[in-house]
Amino acid sequence: TTYSAVRPAAEGAACVWLRKEAAGGEGVLAAYQTSNPLPAWTPVRVVAGHGPETTGLAELTPRIEGFFDVLTTAETRLALLKAEQVDYLFYGPAERTLGGWDPTSWECLRPAYASGAYAIYSTCMGSDA
């Protein structure tokens, strides 16, 4: 099935990979604009998406955005992954706009998928960690 006529094809390919990889219910961290449609296309749970359905969205939003900031500490990132039970990090153009942090620089993330401007990392919180 196609991903969406209004979303980038490369994003769709990443979602197709995630849909095949995820058993169901895994936690995914991504920018809000990525997270919002993600559960419609994959069997995952997002940290924040669909505003009214996200408990504590006002508190979560700066924590998610801060995750991608180069000045954020590894401890702060790890605390968010633990608190929200994040198995995957979705990293594309929307996430890059949140900060200049390079996810390949952190040992808690393992590359799982990469194509064009999109990458998905499994986290050290994941079930296969």
Side-chain angles (χ1 to χ4, degrees):
T1 61
T2 59
Y3 175 64
S4 171
V6 296
R7 304 293 296 188
E11 181 182 275
C15 288
V16 167
W17 178 88
L18 190 56
R19 183 173 54 222
K20 290 177 183 174
E21 184 70 21
E26 288 91 339
V28 177
L29 178 65
Y32 184 84
Q33 74 181 74
T34 303
S35 294
N36 203 26
L38 199 56
W41 299 99
T42 62
V44 299
R45 168 185 55 77
V46 293
V47 174
H50 291 289
E53 297 173 17
T54 301
T55 303
L57 180 61
E59 186 266 338
L60 277 172
T61 299
R63 292 180 67 205
I64 292 167
E65 291 173 356
F67 187 92
F68 299 95
D69 189 310
V70 294
L71 300 178
T72 299
T73 65
E75 293 78 18
T76 299
R77 287 188 183 96
L78 190 58
L80 180 60
L81 295 184
K82 284 182 179 179
E84 300 301 325
Q85 301 174 341
V86 175
D87 301 294
Y88 292 102
L89 174 72
F90 193 103
Y91 191 72
E95 292 71 26
R96 282 179 182 80
T97 66
L98 297 177
W101 177 67
D102 177 6
T104 64
S105 68
W106 192 30
E107 66 276 357
C108 185
L109 300 175
R110 293 180 308 275
Y113 172 88
S115 181
Y118 293 86
I120 299 172
Y121 297 87
S122 60
T123 74
C124 55
M125 300 292 107
S127 57
D128 64 341

